Amino acid sequence: MITFLSGGTGTPKLLRGFRSYSDDQDINVVVNTAEDVWISGGHMSPDIDTVMYLFAGILNTDTWWGISGDSFLTHKALLDLGTDEYIAIGDRDRAVQIARGDLLNQGKSLTAATSILCRNMGVRAGVLPMTDSPVATLVRSSGNYIHFQEYWVRCKGSLPIDAVKREPESPPAATKDVIEAITGADAVIIGPSNPVTSILPILECQGVRDALRGQYVVAVSPFIGNAPFSGPAGELMKAKGFSPSSSGTYELYKDFLDLFIQDERDTMTVPGAACLDTMMTNEEKCRGLAEGILKILPAHTG
Ligand code: GDP
């Protein structure tokens, strides 16, 4: 059993590759929920949805969000009615958000709601929200904190940011399922997800770092040199006071890490790191990286 820690792009690409080598039933994914928002009456959990749709075989792998071939009739109708739906939500994607919102409003935990949605979508992997408590990543621009989704989607990441924080500031408890998925795994893999907005929120959940210390943990860098493959990871690392690079990523994980993997083109060498082709630009390259990692993992994880 391998357990992954995931955001909504880099690690899902790696999961796409691993699915060729492992049965979905042998994979657990602990997913970041600090980008969740209630929007237009539904509950959006973008990273959970990407992972769930991947395992359901319906993910739009051009964008790494939403459902392949989805229509946007309701989104357009809402805009025509003058609403401020700043995220383009597909119709089938919205159905999932409404169903999740209903389950939460009935008093179900996010873990229970996710499990029901997964079952109804035929997902056989374990998709585990990092916590059942609401938590959000906020970024500060010109003195004001705004939700990460506002910064990234509404403002297209164009605002200068100088601080990042979680709300509430006291770390939420990881769920029991999350701790069991980590402590019961043969290996834990942190894919190349954004350290600040996807992986640190998981590591901050009470119990997670301690659970990782007892396990064989591999992490893949989302940077080549001091540039991320995509997205705002560089700006966010700088706003947190970390080096926006593979070295900076390694520093964040080194207290529990057994193996760091960086891209073979990366000129900033992290001592002891394995170098592989981490550019997952198509399905074959996703498989290639998964295969490379599996060759390095200790034998008992096979
Ligand atoms: P988000 O929730 O959509 O922000 O997604 P993640 O946090 O899971 O992933 C975003 C990170 O993935 C970015 O920092 C990218 O640099 C990284 N990333 C995306 N594609 C690749 C890739 O093919 N290889 C590597 N190494 N990193 C990638």
Side-chain angles (χ1 to χ4, degrees):
M1 182 66 92
I2 300 183
T3 293
F4 291 80
L5 308 190
S6 184
T9 308
T11 307
K13 287 185 181 177
L14 184 58
L15 286 165
R16 183 193 206 186
F18 264 87
R19 294 187 75 206
S20 296
Y21 300 98
S22 310
D23 192 282
D24 286 355
Q25 259 175 246
D26 296 330
I27 296 175
N28 277 318
V29 191
V30 176
V31 189
N32 168 49
T33 58
E35 290 174 32
D36 292 17
V37 279
W38 284 90
I39 183 161
S40 305
H43 186 269
M44 169 183 275
S45 193
D47 294 354
I48 288 182
D49 286 341
T50 292
V51 172
M52 222 165 45
Y53 298 160
L54 174 76
F55 284 106
I58 57 173
L59 178 67
N60 180 342
T61 50
D62 294 330
T63 54
W64 291 88
W65 59 266
I67 294 174
S68 176
D70 211 350
S71 54
F72 288 82
L73 299 174
T74 311
H75 177 63
K76 184 175 177 312
L78 284 168
L79 294 185
D80 290 346
L81 288 168
T83 70
D84 177 33
E85 189 174 78
Y86 64 93
I87 302 178
I89 301 168
D91 294 315
R92 291 178 66 201
D93 198 12
R94 185 186 305 278
V96 172
Q97 296 174 17
I98 291 170
R100 180 187 295 112
D102 276 349
L103 290 164
L104 294 174
N105 284 332
Q106 287 162 23
K108 298 245 181 328
S109 67
L110 185 58
T111 300
T114 306
S115 163
I116 292 167
L117 293 172
C118 281
R119 194 174 60 234
N120 291 337
M121 283 194 270
V123 172
R124 289 160 57 250
V127 181
L128 307 172
M130 64 184 194
T131 180
D132 282 329
S133 308
V135 53
T137 295
L138 307 183
V139 299
R140 189 176 66 194
S141 182
S142 308
N144 295 319
Y145 276 102
I146 55 172
H147 194 285
F148 176 73
Q149 297 285 7
E150 293 260 345
Y151 158 72
W152 184 236
V153 184
R154 189 198 289 279
C155 305
K156 301 184 172 38
S158 61
L159 300 175
I161 50 172
D162 58 19
V164 183
K165 71 170 183 180
R166 234 68 71 190
E167 193 170 88
E169 286 181 33
S170 58
T175 67
K176 186 170 146 287
D177 292 10
V178 163
I179 299 300
E180 284 175 6
I182 294 173
T183 54
D186 296 313
V188 177
I189 299 179
I190 302 178
S193 283
N194 184 325
V196 176
T197 51
S198 295
I199 302 302
L200 286 184
I202 301 175
L203 299 178
E204 286 161 11
C205 289
Q206 291 167 41
V208 169
R209 272 187 189 264
D210 281 347
L212 287 170
R213 278 192 197 99
Q215 293 304 104
Y216 187 84
V217 186
V218 179
V220 182
S221 178
F223 288 91
I224 296 188
N226 45 23
F229 281 80
S230 59
E235 295 311 308
L236 292 157
M237 290 285 273
K238 280 189 244 166
K240 277 292 240 186
F242 305 133
S243 160
S245 62
S246 290
S247 307
T249 306
Y250 172 73
E251 287 298 316
L252 294 175
Y253 305 156
K254 69 177 183 195
D255 62 305
F256 57 76
L257 204 60
D258 294 283
L259 177 67
F260 189 68
I261 294 172
Q262 60 180 143
D263 193 86
E264 57 197 15
R265 304 160 193 83
D266 200 333
T267 50
M268 292 177 128
T269 312
V270 174
C275 295
L276 295 174
D277 180 359
T278 73
M279 287 187 74
M280 295 175 282
T281 43
N282 57 43
E283 189 166 4
E284 199 184 328
K285 295 194 77 176
C286 297
R287 271 199 300 270
L289 180 56
E291 190 182 353
I293 294 173
L294 281 167
K295 280 189 185 145
I296 302 175
L297 285 184
H300 67 276
T301 59

mmCIF file of all heavy atoms in Angstrom, residues 6-13 35 47 192-194 197-198 220-223 228-231 233 278-281, ligand 1:
data_model
loop_
_atom_site.group_PDB
_atom_site.id
_atom_site.type_symbol
_atom_site.label_atom_id
_atom_site.label_comp_id
_atom_site.label_asym_id
_atom_site.label_seq_id
_atom_site.Cartn_x
_atom_site.Cartn_y
_atom_site.Cartn_z
ATOM 1 N N SER A 6 -1.217 14.928 -1.495
ATOM 2 C CA SER A 6 -1.499 15.532 -2.804
ATOM 3 C C SER A 6 -2.204 16.875 -2.756
ATOM 4 O O SER A 6 -3.060 17.131 -1.906
ATOM 5 C CB SER A 6 -2.387 14.573 -3.609
ATOM 6 O OG SER A 6 -2.614 15.047 -4.913
ATOM 7 N N GLY A 7 -1.841 17.710 -3.747
ATOM 8 C CA GLY A 7 -2.636 18.871 -4.119
ATOM 9 C C GLY A 7 -3.443 18.483 -5.355
ATOM 10 O O GLY A 7 -3.847 17.317 -5.487
ATOM 11 N N GLY A 8 -3.611 19.463 -6.249
ATOM 12 C CA GLY A 8 -4.520 19.214 -7.371
ATOM 13 C C GLY A 8 -3.881 19.177 -8.757
ATOM 14 O O GLY A 8 -4.620 19.169 -9.748
ATOM 15 N N THR A 9 -2.551 19.163 -8.864
ATOM 16 C CA THR A 9 -1.950 19.079 -10.205
ATOM 17 C C THR A 9 -0.724 18.158 -10.234
ATOM 18 O O THR A 9 -0.731 17.116 -10.899
ATOM 19 C CB THR A 9 -1.529 20.480 -10.733
ATOM 20 O OG1 THR A 9 -2.627 21.370 -10.642
ATOM 21 C CG2 THR A 9 -1.072 20.396 -12.189
ATOM 22 N N GLY A 10 0.345 18.556 -9.522
ATOM 23 C CA GLY A 10 1.615 17.835 -9.625
ATOM 24 C C GLY A 10 1.505 16.383 -9.163
ATOM 25 O O GLY A 10 1.909 15.454 -9.876
ATOM 26 N N THR A 11 0.961 16.171 -7.967
ATOM 27 C CA THR A 11 0.834 14.789 -7.471
ATOM 28 C C THR A 11 -0.194 13.993 -8.280
ATOM 29 O O THR A 11 0.055 12.821 -8.590
ATOM 30 C CB THR A 11 0.514 14.773 -5.963
ATOM 31 O OG1 THR A 11 1.493 15.566 -5.294
ATOM 32 C CG2 THR A 11 0.551 13.357 -5.401
ATOM 33 N N PRO A 12 -1.346 14.587 -8.659
ATOM 34 C CA PRO A 12 -2.252 13.821 -9.521
ATOM 35 C C PRO A 12 -1.589 13.342 -10.818
ATOM 36 O O PRO A 12 -1.883 12.243 -11.307
ATOM 37 C CB PRO A 12 -3.404 14.800 -9.784
ATOM 38 C CG PRO A 12 -3.448 15.626 -8.534
ATOM 39 C CD PRO A 12 -1.999 15.817 -8.145
ATOM 40 N N LYS A 13 -0.674 14.145 -11.389
ATOM 41 C CA LYS A 13 0.035 13.674 -12.598
ATOM 42 C C LYS A 13 0.835 12.408 -12.278
ATOM 43 O O LYS A 13 0.853 11.452 -13.053
ATOM 44 C CB LYS A 13 0.994 14.755 -13.105
ATOM 45 C CG LYS A 13 0.318 15.938 -13.763
ATOM 46 C CD LYS A 13 1.382 16.872 -14.330
ATOM 47 C CE LYS A 13 0.776 18.087 -14.974
ATOM 48 N NZ LYS A 13 1.788 19.030 -15.475
ATOM 49 N N GLU A 35 -7.852 24.762 0.143
ATOM 50 C CA GLU A 35 -8.323 25.623 -0.964
ATOM 51 C C GLU A 35 -9.838 25.505 -1.133
ATOM 52 O O GLU A 35 -10.409 26.007 -2.101
ATOM 53 C CB GLU A 35 -7.605 25.247 -2.270
ATOM 54 C CG GLU A 35 -6.137 25.637 -2.227
ATOM 55 C CD GLU A 35 -5.352 25.149 -3.441
ATOM 56 O OE1 GLU A 35 -5.911 25.050 -4.540
ATOM 57 O OE2 GLU A 35 -4.156 24.858 -3.255
ATOM 58 N N ASP A 47 -8.933 20.143 -4.821
ATOM 59 C CA ASP A 47 -7.914 19.097 -4.895
ATOM 60 C C ASP A 47 -8.541 17.707 -4.747
ATOM 61 O O ASP A 47 -8.166 16.758 -5.431
ATOM 62 C CB ASP A 47 -6.825 19.335 -3.833
ATOM 63 C CG ASP A 47 -6.040 20.615 -4.119
ATOM 64 O OD1 ASP A 47 -6.275 21.232 -5.181
ATOM 65 O OD2 ASP A 47 -5.187 21.008 -3.296
ATOM 66 N N PRO A 192 5.054 16.128 -6.704
ATOM 67 C CA PRO A 192 5.541 17.496 -6.911
ATOM 68 C C PRO A 192 4.424 18.530 -6.820
ATOM 69 O O PRO A 192 4.119 19.215 -7.790
ATOM 70 C CB PRO A 192 6.143 17.427 -8.310
ATOM 71 C CG PRO A 192 5.313 16.402 -9.011
ATOM 72 C CD PRO A 192 4.954 15.374 -7.971
ATOM 73 N N SER A 193 3.800 18.608 -5.664
ATOM 74 C CA SER A 193 2.740 19.589 -5.442
ATOM 75 C C SER A 193 3.330 20.848 -4.831
ATOM 76 O O SER A 193 4.456 20.842 -4.326
ATOM 77 C CB SER A 193 1.653 19.002 -4.529
ATOM 78 O OG SER A 193 0.832 18.114 -5.260
ATOM 79 N N ASN A 194 2.554 21.916 -4.885
ATOM 80 C CA ASN A 194 2.998 23.205 -4.338
ATOM 81 C C ASN A 194 3.246 23.054 -2.829
ATOM 82 O O ASN A 194 2.319 22.747 -2.074
ATOM 83 C CB ASN A 194 1.878 24.225 -4.603
ATOM 84 C CG ASN A 194 2.240 25.620 -4.185
ATOM 85 O OD1 ASN A 194 2.928 25.823 -3.194
ATOM 86 N ND2 ASN A 194 1.768 26.594 -4.933
ATOM 87 N N THR A 197 0.907 25.776 -0.600
ATOM 88 C CA THR A 197 -0.562 25.730 -0.585
ATOM 89 C C THR A 197 -1.134 24.310 -0.589
ATOM 90 O O THR A 197 -2.310 24.130 -0.311
ATOM 91 C CB THR A 197 -1.151 26.478 -1.809
ATOM 92 O OG1 THR A 197 -0.508 25.978 -2.987
ATOM 93 C CG2 THR A 197 -0.955 27.965 -1.686
ATOM 94 N N SER A 198 -0.309 23.311 -0.929
ATOM 95 C CA SER A 198 -0.851 21.949 -0.993
ATOM 96 C C SER A 198 -0.260 21.011 0.061
ATOM 97 O O SER A 198 -0.990 20.241 0.673
ATOM 98 C CB SER A 198 -0.608 21.329 -2.386
ATOM 99 O OG SER A 198 -1.325 22.031 -3.363
ATOM 100 N N VAL A 220 9.014 14.470 -4.338
ATOM 101 C CA VAL A 220 9.451 14.903 -5.675
ATOM 102 C C VAL A 220 9.367 16.422 -5.730
ATOM 103 O O VAL A 220 8.360 17.015 -5.324
ATOM 104 C CB VAL A 220 8.539 14.300 -6.774
ATOM 105 C CG1 VAL A 220 9.033 14.725 -8.158
ATOM 106 C CG2 VAL A 220 8.468 12.783 -6.651
ATOM 107 N N SER A 221 10.408 17.047 -6.266
ATOM 108 C CA SER A 221 10.429 18.510 -6.319
ATOM 109 C C SER A 221 9.509 19.060 -7.410
ATOM 110 O O SER A 221 9.521 18.559 -8.540
ATOM 111 C CB SER A 221 11.856 18.998 -6.603
ATOM 112 O OG SER A 221 11.838 20.408 -6.687
ATOM 113 N N PRO A 222 8.753 20.123 -7.088
ATOM 114 C CA PRO A 222 7.965 20.786 -8.123
ATOM 115 C C PRO A 222 8.750 21.894 -8.832
ATOM 116 O O PRO A 222 8.199 22.620 -9.660
ATOM 117 C CB PRO A 222 6.793 21.383 -7.337
ATOM 118 C CG PRO A 222 7.365 21.687 -5.990
ATOM 119 C CD PRO A 222 8.473 20.685 -5.744
ATOM 120 N N PHE A 223 10.041 22.021 -8.487
ATOM 121 C CA PHE A 223 10.877 23.082 -9.083
ATOM 122 C C PHE A 223 11.977 22.480 -9.958
ATOM 123 O O PHE A 223 12.479 21.385 -9.690
ATOM 124 C CB PHE A 223 11.597 23.884 -7.986
ATOM 125 C CG PHE A 223 10.694 24.783 -7.189
ATOM 126 C CD1 PHE A 223 10.087 24.319 -6.022
ATOM 127 C CD2 PHE A 223 10.461 26.094 -7.580
ATOM 128 C CE1 PHE A 223 9.259 25.144 -5.277
ATOM 129 C CE2 PHE A 223 9.637 26.924 -6.835
ATOM 130 C CZ PHE A 223 9.034 26.449 -5.683
ATOM 131 N N PRO A 228 9.220 27.030 -10.657
ATOM 132 C CA PRO A 228 8.317 25.875 -10.615
ATOM 133 C C PRO A 228 7.923 25.482 -12.037
ATOM 134 O O PRO A 228 8.070 26.272 -12.965
ATOM 135 C CB PRO A 228 7.103 26.427 -9.859
ATOM 136 C CG PRO A 228 7.125 27.893 -10.095
ATOM 137 C CD PRO A 228 8.565 28.276 -10.288
ATOM 138 N N PHE A 229 7.450 24.245 -12.211
ATOM 139 C CA PHE A 229 6.977 23.829 -13.530
ATOM 140 C C PHE A 229 5.804 24.702 -13.969
ATOM 141 O O PHE A 229 5.647 25.009 -15.135
ATOM 142 C CB PHE A 229 6.524 22.363 -13.498
ATOM 143 C CG PHE A 229 7.674 21.417 -13.546
ATOM 144 C CD1 PHE A 229 8.392 21.156 -12.402
ATOM 145 C CD2 PHE A 229 8.051 20.803 -14.730
ATOM 146 C CE1 PHE A 229 9.459 20.293 -12.425
ATOM 147 C CE2 PHE A 229 9.133 19.949 -14.765
ATOM 148 C CZ PHE A 229 9.839 19.688 -13.614
ATOM 149 N N SER A 230 4.957 25.037 -13.019
ATOM 150 C CA SER A 230 3.783 25.853 -13.334
ATOM 151 C C SER A 230 3.256 26.441 -12.032
ATOM 152 O O SER A 230 3.597 25.961 -10.948
ATOM 153 C CB SER A 230 2.687 24.984 -13.983
ATOM 154 O OG SER A 230 2.325 23.930 -13.094
ATOM 155 N N GLY A 231 2.437 27.487 -12.160
ATOM 156 C CA GLY A 231 1.723 28.018 -11.000
ATOM 157 C C GLY A 231 2.565 28.940 -10.124
ATOM 158 O O GLY A 231 3.710 29.266 -10.437
ATOM 159 N N ALA A 233 3.996 28.693 -7.153
ATOM 160 C CA ALA A 233 4.777 28.159 -6.022
ATOM 161 C C ALA A 233 5.967 29.049 -5.664
ATOM 162 O O ALA A 233 6.294 29.219 -4.486
ATOM 163 C CB ALA A 233 5.246 26.730 -6.333
ATOM 164 N N THR A 278 11.403 14.452 -14.269
ATOM 165 C CA THR A 278 10.141 14.682 -13.540
ATOM 166 C C THR A 278 9.141 15.509 -14.353
ATOM 167 O O THR A 278 8.106 15.899 -13.829
ATOM 168 C CB THR A 278 10.391 15.382 -12.183
ATOM 169 O OG1 THR A 278 10.726 16.747 -12.420
ATOM 170 C CG2 THR A 278 11.484 14.690 -11.375
ATOM 171 N N MET A 279 9.469 15.804 -15.611
ATOM 172 C CA MET A 279 8.544 16.638 -16.411
ATOM 173 C C MET A 279 7.447 15.760 -16.999
ATOM 174 O O MET A 279 7.642 15.111 -18.024
ATOM 175 C CB MET A 279 9.309 17.346 -17.524
ATOM 176 C CG MET A 279 10.168 18.464 -16.994
ATOM 177 S SD MET A 279 10.921 19.439 -18.290
ATOM 178 C CE MET A 279 9.538 20.368 -18.889
ATOM 179 N N MET A 280 6.302 15.753 -16.342
ATOM 180 C CA MET A 280 5.210 14.849 -16.735
ATOM 181 C C MET A 280 4.297 15.528 -17.752
ATOM 182 O O MET A 280 3.153 15.850 -17.485
ATOM 183 C CB MET A 280 4.446 14.404 -15.487
ATOM 184 C CG MET A 280 5.307 13.570 -14.546
ATOM 185 S SD MET A 280 4.472 13.157 -13.026
ATOM 186 C CE MET A 280 4.612 14.696 -12.105
ATOM 187 N N THR A 281 4.841 15.706 -18.954
ATOM 188 C CA THR A 281 4.106 16.456 -19.967
ATOM 189 C C THR A 281 3.107 15.594 -20.749
ATOM 190 O O THR A 281 2.314 16.126 -21.514
ATOM 191 C CB THR A 281 5.100 17.111 -20.950
ATOM 192 O OG1 THR A 281 6.113 16.143 -21.255
ATOM 193 C CG2 THR A 281 5.760 18.331 -20.333
HETATM 194 P P1 GDP B 1 -2.641 22.812 -7.244
HETATM 195 O O1 GDP B 1 -3.425 22.315 -6.076
HETATM 196 O O2 GDP B 1 -3.421 22.886 -8.533
HETATM 197 O O3 GDP B 1 -1.804 24.012 -6.959
HETATM 198 O O4 GDP B 1 -1.645 21.632 -7.583
HETATM 199 P P2 GDP B 1 -0.415 20.989 -6.829
HETATM 200 O O5 GDP B 1 -0.033 21.744 -5.618
HETATM 201 O O6 GDP B 1 -0.689 19.523 -6.714
HETATM 202 O O7 GDP B 1 0.676 21.126 -7.954
HETATM 203 C C1 GDP B 1 1.208 22.386 -8.334
HETATM 204 C C2 GDP B 1 2.684 22.215 -8.503
HETATM 205 O O8 GDP B 1 2.905 21.133 -9.415
HETATM 206 C C3 GDP B 1 3.383 23.408 -9.087
HETATM 207 O O9 GDP B 1 4.227 23.962 -8.122
HETATM 208 C C4 GDP B 1 4.165 22.847 -10.278
HETATM 209 O O10 GDP B 1 5.499 23.333 -10.286
HETATM 210 C C5 GDP B 1 4.122 21.359 -10.048
HETATM 211 N N1 GDP B 1 4.071 20.590 -11.289
HETATM 212 C C6 GDP B 1 3.100 20.613 -12.232
HETATM 213 N N2 GDP B 1 3.409 19.769 -13.238
HETATM 214 C C7 GDP B 1 4.592 19.196 -12.912
HETATM 215 C C8 GDP B 1 5.433 18.227 -13.556
HETATM 216 O O11 GDP B 1 5.145 17.705 -14.621
HETATM 217 N N3 GDP B 1 6.583 17.883 -12.903
HETATM 218 C C9 GDP B 1 6.923 18.431 -11.701
HETATM 219 N N4 GDP B 1 8.073 18.036 -11.125
HETATM 220 N N5 GDP B 1 6.163 19.350 -11.070
HETATM 221 C C10 GDP B 1 5.006 19.716 -11.674
#
